[in-house]
Amino acid sequence: MGLFGRKNSTATTTPDSAAPAATAVDPALAALSGTYTIDPAHSSIGFTVRHAMVTNVRGSFTEHEGTLTLDGSNPANATASIDVKIASVDTGIADRDAHLRSGDFFDAERFPQMSFRSTEARELGGDKYRIIGDLTIKDVTRPLSIDLEFNGTATDPYGNERVGFEGGAEILRSDWGLTWNAALETGGVMVSDKVKLTFDISAIKSA
């Protein structure tokens, strides 16, 4: 049963009772309802982009914060809010990271933050969900859909109630004004327009 699943139970009635069957929310799932703070030490927001037409470059943003609200009885009430510090981009190569922070790409000095604000949540079946919202990069805001899988819940050794999700999305970076490129002598371009985003989220219940 998924995070927002329901258990159906039929009320026991006498033959002359007109009471309808009752639908009860699973108490274990209802208990997960609340506000959660994303734990950046145990979460990652990453990306993969094709480089020089033949290989992939992977990176992440090491500084981010956000909140989730979950409703154990109605998935449509779930929300997500994430803010990412652009200057924290890390691909493992300092010169490449500096280029990504420059005006050719993110222009981190002028636009230090990337943000996502959800507007809708959908249950896809099982433990799979879709969060739809607005992604803002360089003051350009466009819709984004993120497909996520609920990994479960646990109480950590410090007594924190945690939930986990992982998933991803694909975007065209040019839709957010990230258009820098260079032509290759053999044809094609240095950096693909398509970017795969990945999310591995651990969040702690705060309310």
Side-chain angles (χ1 to χ4, degrees):
M1 180 181 294
L3 170 62
F4 299 109
R6 296 170 180 261
K7 282 186 176 178
N8 295 324
S9 61
T10 303
T12 301
T13 62
T14 60
D16 60 348
S17 172
T23 300
V25 176
D26 182 348
L29 298 176
L32 295 179
S33 297
T35 300
Y36 293 76
T37 300
I38 294 175
D39 177 8
H42 296 92
S43 303
S44 66
I45 297 176
F47 59 89
T48 303
V49 61
R50 184 63 60 88
H51 177 262
M53 307 296 291
V54 296
T55 190
N56 290 317
V57 168
R58 293 175 175 82
S60 64
F61 296 93
T62 60
E63 296 183 38
H64 51 82
E65 60 184 13
T67 58
L68 309 175
T69 59
L70 304 181
D71 188 331
S73 61
N74 188 351
N77 291 335
T79 64
S81 174
I82 302 174
D83 294 316
V84 176
K85 186 176 180 181
I86 292 295
S88 72
V89 65
D90 181 8
T91 65
I93 298 178
D95 287 346
R96 181 164 59 203
D97 296 343
H99 192 196
L100 289 171
R101 289 190 292 266
S102 76
D104 283 345
F105 285 95
F106 288 110
D107 199 355
E109 187 171 340
R110 292 179 59 205
F111 306 101
Q113 182 171 284
M114 172 173 60
S115 64
F116 175 80
R117 299 290 184 269
S118 69
T119 57
E120 183 181 354
R122 299 176 185 172
E123 187 175 14
L124 301 182
D127 289 325
K128 299 183 184 300
Y129 303 88
R130 177 168 295 154
I131 299 295
I132 301 167
D134 296 321
L135 176 66
T136 301
I137 305 173
K138 297 179 71 173
D139 280 356
V140 177
T141 301
R142 295 182 62 87
L144 175 68
S145 294
I146 305 172
D147 286 350
L148 296 169
E149 182 171 0
F150 176 55
N151 287 338
T153 181
T155 301
D156 68 22
Y158 303 99
N160 298 311
E161 295 181 55
R162 290 180 178 266
V163 294
F165 293 88
E166 63 178 319
E170 290 188 358
I171 66 171
L172 298 178
R173 61 188 178 91
S174 58
D175 287 343
W176 282 267
L178 302 172
T179 57
W180 182 91
N181 228 320
L184 301 174
E185 291 184 3
T186 53
V189 293
M190 181 70 72
V191 185
S192 68
D193 193 19
K194 184 173 71 175
V195 180
K196 296 179 181 179
L197 304 177
T198 57
F199 303 87
D200 195 348
I201 302 297
S202 177
I204 298 172
K205 194 171 188 178
S206 54

